[in-house]
Amino acid sequence: MPWHAQLQLHYRLEAQRTVLHHQHNGPLRILKCLYPEGDAICHNVIIHPPGGLVGGDVLDVSLRVEAGAHALVSTPGATRFYASDSAVATQQVHLALEAGARLEWLPLEAIAYPGCLAQNTVQATLGAGAEWLGWDVTALGLPSAGQPFDAGRFSQRLEILGLWLEQAQLDASDTRLLNAPVGLNGQRCLGTMWLACGTALTRERREQLLDVVRSVLATAPAQVQAGATCPNPNMLVLRALAPLVEPLMALFQQVWAELRPAAWGLTSTPPRIWRV
């Protein structure tokens, strides 16, 4: 029997403290709210006890951040899309940030196992002055374990209504996309990181934040190919390719540690789960 799991997260500001109200159905859980930075920022980890998705499984996460609240959400491990005979495994995330809200969406990678049929979507809406710092990382196959992505399909879509839309269908049979220099160039891990804002950034702020990100990229290991730009006045976007997850994720965490204080004047307090 396939899993159909739903998790609804609702953050609001109460007496200068970001509090979480949540509901779940099926194997998605929030175990505890953590406040390592004080009451203003609520840290949470989304737990999926089965540990992966097979054909027919659906994970549905809805997250709302009210005005003035600040949430940081991560996961304890990779989202694993296992091989499927015919049915598609789906993870879908819907995010809504009200005016002046902040969200840090920092899940670990999605792994597309050989033979998977997977769909991964994120859709967000941003109110005036809301800011969303996040990333999406995908690993195709398990090269270190001798399991290349030689069969299957991974579809993904990232949409910020009115600001940004990117989508891709990564098919193991599409060797031109996977191996050509204008495609993934033989790399098997790809990631996108962004700072998206409901109100346009000034040119001065965009250039300042780009300088911060590019200073980190200048120190990136040789196996990581990465670049950053501002495709529109409301966004900063970083894209990266690497042969494996570890160097790419380490780079994103380094960028987060520098971008967070530059954008918001906050110290870099990483989620505890990163150190487990």
Side-chain angles (χ1 to χ4, degrees), residues 110-124:
I111 301 178
Y113 276 65
C116 76
L117 297 174
Q119 183 169 343
N120 185 40
T121 66
V122 181
Q123 184 183 75

Side-chain angles (χ1 to χ4, degrees), residues 38-265:
D39 289 348
I41 305 174
C42 182
H43 288 223
N44 288 115
V45 178
I46 296 178
I47 307 294
H48 180 224
L53 293 85
V54 297
D57 286 355
V58 178
L59 299 185
D60 190 345
V61 178
S62 297
L63 188 153
R64 177 185 173 194
V65 188
E66 287 193 4
H70 186 157
L72 186 154
V73 181
S74 187
T75 60
T79 301
R80 301 173 185 272
F81 291 90
Y82 295 119
S84 173
D85 291 335
S86 59
V88 175
T90 301
Q91 177 176 256
Q92 51 196 23
V93 179
H94 301 274
L95 310 172
L97 279 65
E98 296 185 3
R102 288 178 179 173
L103 173 64
E104 296 173 80
W105 178 255
L106 309 173
L108 296 185
E109 70 276 5
I111 301 178
Y113 276 65
C116 76
L117 297 174
Q119 183 169 343
N120 185 40
T121 66
V122 181
Q123 184 183 75
T125 58
L126 305 181
E131 298 196 356
W132 178 29
L133 177 57
W135 61 49
D136 185 89
V137 176
T138 301
L140 302 175
L142 296 92
S144 297
Q147 298 183 49
F149 187 65
D150 53 8
R153 184 177 68 251
F154 188 91
S155 301
Q156 59 184 11
R157 178 184 175 99
L158 169 63
E159 181 178 13
I160 306 172
L161 293 176
L163 290 180
W164 181 256
L165 173 62
E166 67 171 43
Q167 55 189 354
Q169 181 163 289
L170 305 171
D171 195 304
S173 65
D174 190 353
T175 55
R176 180 175 296 180
L177 172 63
L178 296 178
N179 298 324
V182 295
L184 299 189
N185 198 29
Q187 309 283 35
R188 290 299 178 263
C189 182
L190 60 154
T192 302
M193 184 175 182
W194 59 84
L195 175 65
C197 306
T199 300
L201 299 166
T202 64
R203 180 174 181 179
E204 180 182 8
R205 191 177 180 207
R206 292 199 306 270
E207 292 178 352
Q208 174 201 4
L209 297 178
L210 270 176
D211 287 343
V212 170
V213 173
R214 287 169 176 168
S215 67
V216 180
L217 298 187
T219 67
Q223 69 265 41
V224 180
Q225 304 170 22
T229 188
C230 289
N232 61 57
N234 295 65
M235 291 187 67
L236 182 153
V237 176
L238 162 62
R239 295 182 182 277
L241 292 171
L244 300 170
V245 167
E246 290 79 7
L248 189 150
M249 187 62 77
L251 176 65
F252 276 16
Q253 291 179 1
Q254 291 170 14
V255 171
W256 172 86
E258 297 295 330
L259 188 57
R260 194 179 198 244
W264 295 336

Side-chain angles (χ1 to χ4, degrees), residues 9-22 35 39-42 44 63-71 96 98 101-102:
L9 307 176
H10 182 187
Y11 295 90
R12 63 177 60 172
L13 194 64
E14 297 181 358
Q16 304 307 310
R17 179 181 176 91
T18 296
V19 298
L20 169 65
H21 300 271
H22 61 97
Y35 294 89
D39 289 348
I41 305 174
C42 182
N44 288 115
L63 188 153
R64 177 185 173 194
V65 188
E66 287 193 4
H70 186 157
E98 296 185 3
R102 288 178 179 173

